[in-house]
Amino acid sequence: MKLIVGLGNPGKEYDNTRHNVGFMFLDYYVSKKGFDANWKSKFNGMYLEVNNCGEKVIFLKPQSYMNLSGGVVSKFVNFYKIDIDDILVVSDDLDLLTGNFKLKSKGSCGGHNGLRDIERCLGTPEYKRLKVGISKDKDVDTKDYVLGKFSKDDSKLFENLFNELSNVLDDYFKIPFSDLMSKHNSKNR
């Protein structure tokens, strides 16, 4: 069983904000694959169970706000007895240029409070990540920037990027993660 976690903040006021690329990508992927998007609620998370490539997959959007994502993730991990090696977290990343992404098999939170809380609640930084670049603007407070809305140009860029990331996620279900990183990390611009 795989757990794919998209990070973001719940509520209409956070729709189409940089911090919500995890939510946005899961919605895009689920729609593109034609899965029944009947999200259910459990443990303060919106989740969708599907069978993909012969394997049970849970897509999860924690509804506890970004900084408290770890509690929701750990409840799903414990309830479904999901191995840490079968978790992939999709999040925004200020240190990557908009339009870029990076797969990581483990690592530090890099200052991302959602990742920090997941690490704290799981007791390990050993979970896989798909980090989606949102750039940064040194002239704007970080909190205001990540909670800011995408421009029309950025929205178009992310639509193209999400199409590419859908191929990455398709491959995630088929090939070892080390091969996935080798295949896709080199394609960043």
Side-chain angles (χ1 to χ4, degrees), residues 37 92 95:
D92 60 289
D95 294 324

Side-chain angles (χ1 to χ4, degrees), residues 49-160:
E49 287 184 50
V50 302
N51 187 314
N52 191 36
C53 300
E55 183 172 25
K56 186 174 181 179
V57 178
I58 297 174
F59 295 100
L60 173 63
K61 298 187 290 186
Q63 301 295 294
S64 57
Y65 292 97
M66 181 68 75
N67 297 354
L68 300 173
S69 298
V72 177
V73 172
S74 67
K75 286 178 182 170
F76 273 82
V77 166
N78 293 332
F79 183 81
Y80 289 98
K81 298 180 180 13
I82 299 168
D83 191 279
I84 297 295
D85 198 45
D86 290 325
I87 301 170
L88 177 68
V89 177
V90 183
S91 68
D92 60 289
D93 191 297
L94 284 165
D95 294 324
L96 292 171
L97 294 176
T98 301
N100 284 346
F101 65 91
K102 185 172 187 176
L103 292 153
K104 289 188 72 174
S105 59
K106 60 184 176 184
S108 75
C109 66
H112 192 290
N113 290 327
L115 296 178
R116 177 180 288 118
D117 196 56
I118 291 171
E119 180 179 329
R120 181 184 66 78
C121 291
L122 294 180
T124 181
E126 303 283 320
Y127 58 89
K128 296 172 178 69
R129 302 112 196 270
L130 172 55
K131 302 170 102 178
V132 181
I134 61 168
S135 298
K136 68 172 97 172
D137 185 337
K138 293 184 179 172
D139 296 330
V140 179
D141 178 72
T142 300
K143 180 182 174 195
D144 293 336
Y145 181 75
V146 298
L147 296 179
K149 303 277 186 189
F150 284 115
S151 68
K152 285 185 181 180
D153 288 343
D154 282 347
S155 292
K156 182 66 177 166
L157 182 97
F158 273 94
E159 186 175 323
N160 293 332

Side-chain angles (χ1 to χ4, degrees), residues 3-20:
L3 176 64
I4 312 298
V5 181
L7 296 186
N9 286 304
K12 287 279 184 205
E13 67 270 31
Y14 298 107
D15 284 353
N16 201 36
T17 60
R18 293 177 186 92
H19 227 12
N20 273 32

Side-chain angles (χ1 to χ4, degrees), residues 159-176:
E159 186 175 323
N160 293 332
L161 177 62
F162 286 171
N163 188 53
E164 183 178 352
L165 293 179
S166 294
N167 296 328
V168 173
L169 194 52
D170 284 344
D171 282 349
Y172 168 75
F173 295 113
K174 298 173 190 168
I175 64 177

